[in-house]
Amino acid sequence: MSVTETGATIWLTGLPSAGKTTIAYELAGRLRTEGHKVEVLDGDEIREFLSAGLGFSREDRHTNVARIGFVAELLAANGVKVLVPVIAPFADSREAVRKRHATESTTYLEVHVATPVEVCSVRDVKGLYAKQAAGEISGLTGVDDPYEVPESPDLRIESHQQTVQESAAALHALLTERGLA
């Protein structure tokens, strides 16, 4: 099996508006240019198509992460680099996905996009922080709902201190180091 056929799940976790999806798409473009098979499992798209009907309770969030992890592992086991920019706020949910990959002998990397909530709330890509501040929504991860920071991710990206391209390059360097790019 050549390197381009080796699949892996690369889970980018972090707060809303941390830069997870932007970094994932930047890296996906670079990997495709290099000839890799790549899929991005965007959290918003998954909620619309695979997890419709789920809310944001702890149980529903766990179910959503488990579903995404299942699909990611299937793709990765078939030679796809799967980039998963999904908050996955709870350590036990992320660990369950990691264990599923280990059981199937599929590579799993956890990347923490460690952008401070103050920066995320200024970026506020989807207007969630403004809605939460106005009392229109509650349960916003990292504000009034918990986010359990990964203790030992494979990579921690400080996206607020570098460009999107630099963040994607740091992740690409990790993939290269692990024989995946």
Side-chain angles (χ1 to χ4, degrees):
M1 183 180 278
S2 72
V3 171
T4 56
E5 295 173 353
T6 303
T9 295
I10 301 98
W11 198 293
L12 293 87
T13 178
L15 297 174
S17 297
K20 301 176 301 296
T21 302
T22 305
I23 293 166
Y25 278 109
E26 179 72 23
L27 179 60
R30 180 171 177 180
L31 290 171
R32 284 186 185 112
T33 299
E34 295 172 356
H36 298 275
K37 292 187 286 184
V38 181
E39 289 294 336
V40 177
L41 298 181
D42 182 284
D44 293 332
E45 291 175 2
I46 295 291
R47 277 206 170 263
E48 181 179 350
F49 297 107
L50 185 63
S51 295
L54 289 180
F56 292 91
S57 68
R58 185 180 179 106
E59 182 179 318
D60 282 357
R61 288 176 189 258
H62 182 78
T63 298
N64 187 48
V65 169
R67 287 178 182 176
I68 296 167
F70 175 79
V71 172
E73 195 284 322
L74 284 176
L75 290 167
N78 285 283
V80 179
K81 306 288 188 297
V82 187
L83 304 174
V84 185
V86 173
I87 295 169
F90 300 110
D92 61 343
S93 296
R94 295 189 304 264
E95 185 57 27
V97 171
R98 180 186 296 279
K99 284 181 179 172
R100 172 174 177 71
H101 280 71
T103 299
E104 300 297 327
S105 299
T106 305
T107 301
Y108 175 87
L109 300 175
E110 183 177 78
V111 177
H112 179 211
V113 182
T115 308
V117 69
E118 299 78 18
V119 174
C120 294
S121 66
V122 170
R123 288 180 181 172
D124 204 10
V125 177
K126 299 172 193 159
L128 297 174
Y129 292 92
K131 288 179 182 176
Q132 190 278 336
E136 296 172 23
I137 63 168
S138 62
L140 182 60
T141 301
V143 178
D144 60 353
D145 212 47
Y147 176 74
E148 298 171 356
V149 174
E151 290 181 20
S152 55
D154 295 282
L155 178 65
R156 196 175 310 275
I157 294 175
E158 308 279 344
S159 74
H160 58 294
Q161 296 180 349
Q162 58 193 27
T163 67
V164 171
Q165 293 76 18
E166 289 168 334
S167 295
L171 186 43
H172 189 275
L174 174 66
L175 296 178
T176 301
E177 174 187 305
R178 301 286 173 93
L180 297 166

